[in-house]
Amino acid sequence: MTSTKLKGLVAGCAALAAGSLTAPPAAAGSVGEHRLATTAAEQQAVQDYWTPERIAALTEPASDNPPKAGPDGAPWTTPNALAKTVGRLFFTDHGEDASCTATVVEAANRSTIVTAGHCVNNTDLLGENNQWSQNVLFIPGYHDGQAPYGRFTGRIAIVDETWLHNDQQHGEVYDAYDQAFVVLNPDERGQRAEDVVGAAQRIGFGEPGAGTATSFGYPRATSDPAREGLPEYIGERLSYCRGPAKEDHGTPEHPAAANQWGVPCTMGGGSSGGPRFSELNMTTGIGTVVGDNSHSAFFDRGGNPCPPGEREGCTRYLVGPQFTTEITEPLHRTAEEAW
């Protein structure tokens, strides 16, 4: 998650409790497109913007904590297709540099990544002034400041138009739409992302949410103090969580949108947009992306949602929308046909 998303959720809870806003009706299937960098000059400007110093500024300080890993969070160290197809997505949000996670997925143009909606279009901290992200740059296989497969600028951002009305205060409406695709420009040698990394992940629409799932991300924070400052929690390396997926229904005071699924996970800000897999071959690193990381939810030992602010005896889950034929498939179809 980006810090804007987290802060917006806090503001949204207050607004919902006060009953101060009414959300517009949602209508899936209307696609919103936004041109990012299309000309050679625009693409070069994005490449020039993301200097090593700017990228380093989005790396949190390291600590001397000893390594700690578990199903709820561990570094991904297998050098397979997974490590190539998932990468960091850098962008500027309302004038502030930020990063999310994105994944190369199968598409006819061999240049499509999937991420979270708030990584390409977001509000300010008050839940107002929706803006498209600027300076969008994807680095597949990013680690320790390195770009082993090159750097790809964003060409077109694609979301459901309902997401463009997001106010950070009605998650029960908008969280289902917190998903996006970005069509990438070729790299400086004219090569497309899928061709360079040599693989792409499958994408599933309408897949069941229950079962074992695996989520990936480049978090810049962790909910576990014992893991603070480890390389996989400062934005430098890929992290993952694996476990039984659970659907977040929210609480009576703050209901959740339908079809929000996730696994127990300590990954924090920066993991937004990361893929959630249902089927994943842990050896080859190829699987089916069925959702993306969007926000956190907490459940008690009985599997019930914890009251707002209650953390004692609760387990943190990293959740997000499950991809559907109604919302996701039209976005993906538009992305793979776009250029």
Side-chain angles (χ1 to χ4, degrees):
M1 287 157 287
T2 64
S3 58
T4 300
K5 174 72 170 176
L6 289 170
K7 293 175 183 176
L9 285 171
V10 173
C13 288
L16 277 172
S20 59
L21 293 173
T22 302
S30 299
V31 178
E33 298 182 50
H34 178 71
R35 295 271 166 173
L36 296 168
T38 56
T39 69
E42 290 170 340
Q43 294 170 41
Q44 189 60 54
V46 175
Q47 293 282 5
D48 292 343
Y49 183 83
W50 287 109
T51 63
E53 293 75 20
R54 280 191 181 275
I55 290 176
L58 291 175
T59 301
E60 300 302 317
S63 73
D64 56 2
N65 277 339
K68 179 183 178 182
D72 62 346
W76 181 259
T77 57
T78 306
N80 56 20
L82 195 288
K84 300 177 181 180
T85 54
V86 180
R88 282 187 83 179
L89 185 69
F90 296 92
F91 56 96
T92 304
D93 175 11
H94 289 78
E96 294 188 10
D97 292 339
S99 72
C100 280
T101 304
T103 309
V104 179
V105 292
E106 292 180 344
N109 58 24
R110 308 190 311 282
S111 300
T112 295
I113 56 175
V114 66
T115 188
H118 69 268
C119 301
V120 302
N121 181 280
N122 207 0
T123 69
D124 59 23
L125 297 181
L126 298 177
E128 302 172 350
N129 189 23
N130 292 63
Q131 290 184 10
W132 291 94
S133 297
Q134 299 176 309
N135 303 313
V136 177
L137 181 77
F138 177 64
I139 302 183
Y142 175 93
H143 67 87
D144 303 300
Q146 303 300 308
Y149 306 102
R151 298 159 37 124
F152 297 83
T153 57
R155 184 178 183 85
I156 304 171
I158 297 168
V159 299
D160 191 288
E161 286 193 351
T162 300
W163 179 252
L164 301 179
H165 299 283
N166 170 47
D167 57 9
Q168 297 277 15
Q169 298 162 9
H170 290 90
E172 78 281 9
V173 172
Y174 295 111
D175 281 352
Y177 298 90
D178 197 356
Q179 50 184 289
F181 291 88
V182 176
V183 179
L184 303 170
N185 290 299
D187 65 12
E188 295 171 334
R189 294 180 294 175
Q191 297 177 305
R192 304 194 180 202
E194 183 178 335
D195 298 332
V196 173
V197 302
Q201 300 294 342
R202 300 185 298 269
I203 187 164
F205 312 115
E207 298 287 333
T212 299
T214 314
S215 293
F216 291 83
Y218 282 90
R220 301 189 310 276
T222 173
S223 60
D224 180 7
R227 304 184 215 203
E228 289 181 0
L230 296 180
E232 63 271 23
Y233 295 103
I234 62 175
E236 286 293 79
R237 298 179 191 172
L238 186 62
S239 183
Y240 77 105
C241 306
R242 182 175 175 85
K246 186 173 182 61
E247 185 174 11
D248 175 28
H249 297 287
T251 64
E253 300 85 0
H254 308 301
N259 236 3
Q260 301 291 300
W261 290 84
V263 298
C265 193
T266 63
M267 293 193 296
S271 60
S272 273
R276 184 171 64 256
F277 289 85
S278 58
E279 302 171 6
L280 177 63
N281 187 312
M282 301 292 278
T283 301
T284 64
I286 291 292
T288 302
V289 182
V290 297
D292 68 271
N293 305 326
S294 173
H295 57 281
S296 61
F298 293 83
F299 297 93
D300 63 22
R301 294 182 179 90
N304 304 305
C306 295
E310 180 64 44
R311 300 293 179 264
E312 185 68 27
C314 298
T315 299
R316 182 183 185 274
Y317 280 63
L318 183 59
V319 303
Q322 192 82 353
F323 292 158
T324 65
T325 55
E326 296 81 11
I327 298 175
T328 320
E329 191 169 14
L331 301 181
H332 178 260
R333 184 169 57 249
T334 299
E336 68 175 353
E337 294 173 353
W339 198 250

